[in-house]
Amino acid sequence: MLSRRARLNYWMSRYLERSNFTSRLLISTHELQIDLYLNDQIAWKPLLTILGSTKDFDKTKKQINKKNIMAYFISNKLNASSIASCLGFAKENSLIIRDQLPEQSIIKINELLISFNQSISKNLNKNNYLSILKNVIQGSQNFMYSSDLEMQRNMDYQFLKLGRYIERSDMMVRILQTQILRSKEHNKNYEYLTLEWINILKSISAFQAYRHHSKNDISISDIVDFFLKTETFPRSVMWNLNQIERAIFRISNKKEFVKEIRDIKKRIKKYSIKIDKLDNLLIFLEDVIKRISNLDKKVEKYYFS
């Protein structure tokens, strides 16, 4: 398989997954601000911090508020991580490898991009933010469903899978970081904080799965544990790391690569979550992010260079 084709599959999948999770982050932040009466700084600044966009957003010289942050992450094509940019990049990649993708997958990407571009061509306002984001989530999932159902389990599929799960692992940790930073910023009591975390669960469609999984009363430490460690929920970090390992095994079974994945899993399993020590948890999550980023570098080194 040509390394160029592998890279295109890998990054198309990552861009679509990033657009999905960016949409979820924006929706959950919007709902938290409304439900808990958070001011703009507390609600939106952590999102800029965790997505590494603070400096670039500052260059726009706009205030941190819902309208400006929504526009920056939805339609600003100067922001390489905006939904508009990610969908554009995914579309460009799909055009080059369209003969390797199922017809329905190509149709789903086209439908998503057309619908999205039509929506943002109108003035963004509070009435259509959420409908745009929900359509992005649904559209990216439609692509995923069609590729899972119709693609042969060949190398093209394995690189799609590898991109999807590396991106999803990265974004899941960033969702945790965002909420932890937000929790540190305000003085709400524990019950309010628990409500915030329940909202985060709902934002990734995980609340019902969490309730089935956990036999304890709802607690922040238990929710964080579920996000990180459970091996049965398809959006948990541990589950995604397992999928990355399986994809690598099917592509080439690089022992050094597999060892690094297993080391991350071992660290997560051993880590004891203490919600009263948020700074320590942030340091741990930052280390996990760096290690997941290193997996991306390994993909580049072993398969694309």
Side-chain angles (χ1 to χ4, degrees), residues 88-303:
F89 296 147
K91 170 66 175 177
E92 288 173 10
N93 285 14
S94 73
L95 287 173
I96 301 170
I97 56 173
R98 59 186 178 276
D99 59 323
Q100 307 299 326
L101 295 171
E103 182 181 354
Q104 280 301 310
S105 297
I106 296 296
I107 289 172
K108 296 305 179 185
I109 288 182
N110 289 340
E111 287 177 345
L112 172 56
L113 196 62
I114 290 169
S115 172
F116 178 80
N117 285 336
Q118 287 176 344
S119 297
I120 65 171
S121 66
K122 304 170 185 177
N123 290 327
L124 285 174
N125 59 61
K126 63 182 179 182
N127 296 320
N128 64 2
Y129 282 134
L130 297 187
S131 63
I132 291 172
L133 296 171
K134 288 175 182 177
N135 286 339
V136 170
I137 292 169
Q138 187 60 58
S140 60
Q141 289 181 169
N142 286 342
F143 170 85
M144 179 182 69
Y145 297 150
S146 63
S147 61
D148 281 348
L149 287 172
E150 298 176 22
M151 281 189 78
Q152 298 184 62
R153 270 37 181 178
N154 54 17
M155 285 296 135
D156 291 295
Y157 180 79
Q158 298 306 326
F159 278 102
L160 276 179
K161 184 177 175 182
L162 187 59
R164 178 192 305 166
Y165 295 125
I166 285 181
E167 184 66 31
R168 190 179 295 177
S169 300
D170 179 277
M171 291 299 287
M172 284 299 300
V173 177
R174 291 181 191 276
I175 285 174
L176 286 174
Q177 289 177 305
T178 303
Q179 183 51 42
I180 291 166
L181 279 179
R182 193 177 290 123
S183 297
K184 282 170 56 66
E185 288 293 322
H186 63 69
N187 297 317
K188 301 286 186 184
N189 60 35
Y190 189 83
E191 286 153 353
Y192 270 94
L193 290 177
T194 303
L195 286 173
E196 290 185 2
W197 284 92
I198 290 173
N199 178 283
I200 297 296
L201 280 170
K202 290 179 178 178
S203 75
I204 62 162
S205 305
F207 183 70
Q208 187 175 11
Y210 166 74
R211 295 304 288 143
H212 287 164
H213 168 81
S214 178
K215 295 179 173 55
N216 304 319
D217 292 334
I218 294 176
S219 68
I220 297 171
S221 59
D222 201 36
I223 293 172
V224 175
D225 190 85
F226 176 75
F227 270 112
L228 286 175
K229 298 183 180 183
T230 184
E231 299 196 38
T232 55
F233 181 63
R235 290 196 179 99
S236 77
V237 176
M238 187 62 69
W239 193 90
N240 282 285
L241 289 170
N242 286 336
Q243 302 311 306
I244 294 167
E245 184 177 341
R246 289 172 188 168
I248 293 301
F249 181 82
R250 287 176 172 85
I251 292 168
S252 66
N253 194 23
K254 296 282 187 182
K255 291 183 180 179
E256 181 187 348
F257 204 156
V258 171
K259 181 178 180 299
E260 191 153 347
I261 297 166
R262 290 178 177 174
D263 182 56
I264 300 172
K265 294 198 294 185
K266 184 177 179 181
R267 287 171 181 272
I268 291 173
K269 286 178 181 178
K270 283 187 173 183
Y271 185 75
S272 178
I273 296 163
K274 297 178 181 177
I275 209 63
D276 59 332
K277 296 183 178 180
L278 293 178
D279 287 330
N280 290 343
L281 181 54
L282 282 172
I283 291 169
F284 171 74
L285 293 175
E286 186 60 32
D287 179 69
V288 173
I289 283 283
K290 288 178 181 177
R291 291 176 184 275
I292 292 172
S293 177
N294 198 45
L295 296 183
D296 175 71
K297 293 175 183 176
K298 286 281 194 296
V299 172
E300 180 69 32
K301 172 184 174 183
Y302 290 136
Y303 306 126

Side-chain angles (χ1 to χ4, degrees), residues 33 36-45 64:
Q33 184 172 30
L36 299 178
Y37 306 103
L38 302 177
N39 66 46
D40 286 328
Q41 286 286 326
I42 290 173
W44 296 99
K45 189 175 180 180
I64 295 176

